[in-house]
Amino acid sequence: MDKPVIVTVDDDPGVSRAVARDLRRRYGQHYRIVRAEAAVQGLEAVREMRLRGDEVCALLADYRMPQMNGVQFLEAAMDMYPYARRVLLTAYADTDAAIQAINVVDLDHYLLKPWDPPEEKFYPVIDGQLDAWQRTDRVEVAELRVVGDRWSQPSYKVRDFLARNHVPYQWMLAEDPEGAQLVAAAGDDCHLPLVVTADGSMLQAPDQSTLASTVGLSTTPATDFYDLIVVGGGPAGLGAAVYGASEGLRTVLVEAHASGGQAGQSSRIENYLGFPDGVSGQQLADRARRQALKFGAELLSARRVTHLEPRGQARVVGFKDGGEIAAHAVILATGVTYRRLDAPGLDDFVGRGVYYGAALTEAPSCRDQDVYIVGAANSAGQAAVYLAGFAKTVHLVVRSDGLEKSMSHYLIEQIQAIPTIEVHLETRVAGGEGDGHLERLTLSAEGEERVVDAQWLFVFIGAEPYTSWLEDTIERDAKGFVVTGPDLVQGGQRPRNWTLRRQPYYLETNVPGVFAAGDVRAESIKRVASAVGEGAMAVALVHRYLEKQ
């Protein structure tokens, strides 16, 4: 098989030769290096490789080139090789242009020149890009096929579950020729969505657990007792699983839907330490998931925990579909969900035009249409920037008189720089209507209402913790967030299940051996980085707890 190709384009002959030399020195055995000294020449080479059927794994382009700069070259080349990793070579003075290119061409990385020594500043970056390319599914037609209705909530749920669990699939409508053939093969009483596997097996309207098992996700625990059970697979839960397993604890993480939590739905997180070019929530979650598996953690998918019970020295969690597992300690990292928008008619269209969270699977379908987003925090801003790459206009609907109180400055600047994003301050959604799916929204501003045509509404309006299943076992505050550590003692009164200890652990709940981390914890800082940190800290406190048992 021919070697995959790394293409490098730089109009400075000396730099061009140096880049090619460094690439050949480390990657020449397994990759073919193609060098061009002009963007037009490089683009022609890419076209020829496409016609020959060569695989291009990475495109490296200098920013400052005559006739066509590096961003324009990458934008043209990505049409022919959408899976190739895109790296911009730039001087320090052009870093602003490189940052803007992140959103223009979905840039994967930018490298500052010079990068001596390459062992420290060049090769680690290229290693990461090639590793990401190798792990990307580049098959044009996925083996797994999903047939459903465009405006169907069950169809959306199946697609969202597969996408967020990094399972490649091909989506087709039931009325399309191929979709209709598959529906006919399933029989007259076929129930959509229909999932067809590579071996031809068909699942009709599968539940999440059946779908998870079919696509190879682990749903059954390997044993009935562990050192540590982590409930929830968001950043806090994944952080706890990585640190717990890496420090020798037999660890199992239980997730009801998909790893990453709310953060996993973010199109790009740009303020997370160590990712100057930004990283998507799915990428971050996938890396953390693979890291946890590498250290030996067990990850259970599509298993919803419905009760927690202390039994002597054991802490037992039970599942909605039956069965239970136990451990010496439990970390609660169930995170939060977006609150429902209280407006007439909207509940009828959830999954059929109304989506809570980013719903990235829907982005391509929004092309050249108007999209409405409700919210003013970072998640809403990230969604607006991402969807602006597809939609004709993105309307950001904000109840307050500005974004500054709730959104990071870098996101506000990005939104202001994108002409297709319109911010509607002191405005709220007062209702929705349609025939089978969302078609119109009623917007209210300054006491006046107006109706707009809208098929897409994405909602980001604050958080509700997923803690109702804890019932009276774990102390929570009035909003349902788990209370931990010193916060358990308020006004000189100890709560009902308080266990007297001279020095309560910072993240420990009222039940010894049960800890809370991340967004689910009362008074936590709602940021990805702090959630990961609390997950790691909780593991350290688990060790201290186990030492005293």
Side-chain angles (χ1 to χ4, degrees):
M1 183 180 295
D2 292 338
K3 297 177 181 178
V5 182
I6 300 175
V7 178
T8 172
V9 182
D10 197 307
D11 67 315
D12 185 322
V15 174
S16 179
R17 287 192 293 269
V19 174
R21 179 200 63 216
D22 288 344
L23 288 172
R24 290 192 181 99
R25 181 183 301 166
R26 186 175 181 98
Y27 307 106
Q29 185 175 354
H30 301 290
Y31 297 89
R32 183 158 59 94
I33 313 302
V34 173
R35 178 174 71 90
E37 294 183 2
V40 174
Q41 177 190 357
L43 202 57
E44 184 59 33
V46 170
R47 288 195 185 100
E48 292 177 2
M49 285 183 275
R50 182 61 178 169
L51 291 173
R52 289 197 304 265
D54 295 337
E55 279 198 291
V56 173
C57 56
L59 299 159
L60 285 69
D62 181 54
Y63 174 67
R64 286 184 178 270
M65 293 189 291
Q67 298 180 329
M68 179 185 294
N69 65 34
V71 174
Q72 294 168 328
F73 167 79
L74 293 174
E75 192 171 12
M78 68 186 287
D79 290 337
M80 292 175 279
Y81 286 100
Y83 300 109
R85 308 298 289 182
R86 296 173 285 278
V87 179
L88 194 67
L89 311 178
T90 181
Y92 182 79
D94 297 322
T95 52
D96 286 345
I99 292 171
Q100 292 175 6
I102 291 173
N103 293 318
V104 174
V105 295
D106 197 19
L107 192 68
D108 295 302
H109 204 94
Y110 69 87
L111 271 168
L112 293 177
K113 298 186 294 185
W115 46 71
D116 289 331
E119 289 76 14
E120 294 180 12
K121 299 181 179 180
F122 187 64
Y123 294 145
V125 171
I126 304 303
D127 285 347
Q129 299 306 316
L130 295 178
D131 177 64
W133 179 82
Q134 292 284 2
R135 289 186 287 102
T136 300
D137 182 81
R138 301 182 298 279
V139 179
E140 294 295 333
V141 179
E143 293 183 328
L144 194 72
R145 290 170 287 178
V146 179
V147 185
D149 294 323
R150 177 67 198 90
W151 300 110
S152 161
Q153 185 182 54
S155 295
Y156 161 69
K157 285 185 175 180
V158 166
R159 295 165 58 211
D160 184 62
F161 178 80
L162 293 173
R164 292 185 61 191
N165 282 286
H166 311 281
V167 179
Y169 68 92
Q170 181 186 9
W171 162 248
M172 57 188 70
L173 297 174
E175 59 265 28
D176 290 343
E178 186 177 354
Q181 291 175 5
L182 292 173
V183 171
D188 294 336
D189 58 346
C190 176
H191 297 286
L192 299 178
L194 176 67
V195 178
V196 185
T197 65
D199 61 6
S201 300
M202 294 186 175
L203 301 177
Q204 299 184 29
D207 60 62
Q208 195 165 276
S209 180
T210 302
L211 182 60
S213 298
T214 300
V215 299
L217 298 176
S218 178
T219 60
T220 305
T223 185
D224 57 2
F225 197 91
Y226 297 84
D227 294 320
L228 173 63
I229 297 171
V230 181
V231 185
L238 288 168
V242 167
Y243 281 91
S246 67
E247 293 176 11
L249 298 177
R250 184 162 192 182
T251 302
V252 59
L253 183 149
V254 184
E255 170 54 45
H257 188 65
S259 58
Q262 276 192 338
Q265 296 178 282
S266 296
S267 55
R268 186 175 294 276
I269 303 169
E270 297 189 60
N271 58 353
Y272 189 74
L273 184 67
F275 292 89
D277 305 327
V279 61
S280 75
Q282 283 195 351
Q283 290 173 329
L284 189 63
D286 181 53
R287 293 183 181 189
R289 181 187 59 83
R290 290 187 291 108
Q291 198 171 12
L293 291 172
K294 181 187 79 171
F295 287 123
E298 186 180 335
L299 272 60
L300 300 183
S301 300
R303 297 300 298 272
R304 187 174 294 277
V305 175
T306 55
H307 68 267
L308 169 64
E309 178 185 351
R311 295 181 192 167
Q313 296 300 310
R315 303 292 175 259
V316 181
V317 299
F319 301 118
K320 180 180 179 180
D321 55 358
E324 59 185 29
I325 54 177
H328 294 297
V330 172
I331 295 176
L332 303 174
T334 49
V336 296
T337 58
Y338 290 111
R339 289 202 305 266
R340 289 298 180 103
L341 187 60
D342 185 18
L346 293 186
D347 284 348
D348 298 332
F349 302 122
V350 174
R352 297 185 294 158
V354 177
Y355 305 94
Y356 287 87
L360 300 182
T361 55
E362 304 304 302
S365 300
C366 299
R367 191 173 301 278
D368 299 325
Q369 298 187 42
D370 286 335
V371 169
Y372 286 80
I373 297 174
V374 180
N378 279 6
S379 52
Q382 290 162 353
V385 171
Y386 178 73
L387 290 170
F390 299 88
K392 179 177 67 176
T393 306
V394 174
H395 299 271
L396 187 59
V397 180
V398 180
R399 292 179 67 105
S400 65
D401 59 0
L403 298 173
E404 290 75 15
K405 294 180 181 179
S406 54
M407 189 178 293
S408 294
H409 181 66
Y410 80 92
L411 272 174
I412 296 175
E413 287 187 325
Q414 287 185 16
I415 288 171
Q416 292 172 342
I418 299 175
T420 55
I421 298 180
E422 296 183 10
V423 181
H424 305 273
L425 300 177
E426 298 183 309
T427 303
R428 64 183 183 88
V429 173
E433 55 185 22
D435 183 11
H437 64 90
L438 181 68
E439 294 178 310
R440 292 172 296 279
L441 288 173
T442 300
L443 302 181
S444 176
E446 298 181 350
E448 297 184 359
E449 292 187 350
R450 62 188 177 98
V451 177
V452 296
D453 292 332
Q455 292 186 319
W456 307 96
L457 176 67
F458 300 87
V459 183
F460 306 83
I461 55 168
E464 292 180 346
Y466 175 57
T467 57
S468 58
W469 61 278
L470 293 169
E471 298 180 336
D472 293 335
T473 305
I474 301 296
E475 293 294 335
R476 291 167 287 154
D477 67 12
K479 295 181 179 179
F481 291 92
V482 175
V483 181
T484 61
D487 293 331
L488 282 165
V489 181
Q490 297 179 359
Q493 299 295 317
R494 294 189 176 95
R496 181 174 55 259
N497 293 335
W498 173 256
T499 300
L500 182 61
R501 305 251 287 269
R502 270 185 274 176
Q503 291 184 333
Y505 296 141
Y506 175 58
L507 300 179
E508 192 173 31
T509 69
N510 59 295
V511 176
V514 177
F515 302 81
D519 290 357
V520 75
R521 190 180 66 81
E523 305 302 326
S524 67
I525 299 173
K526 306 302 189 264
R527 286 287 185 269
V528 175
S530 60
V532 173
E534 286 194 3
M537 181 187 294
V539 171
L541 299 180
V542 166
H543 279 295
R544 289 172 54 185
Y545 168 78
L546 295 177
E547 289 171 358
K548 295 184 178 182
Q549 299 307 300

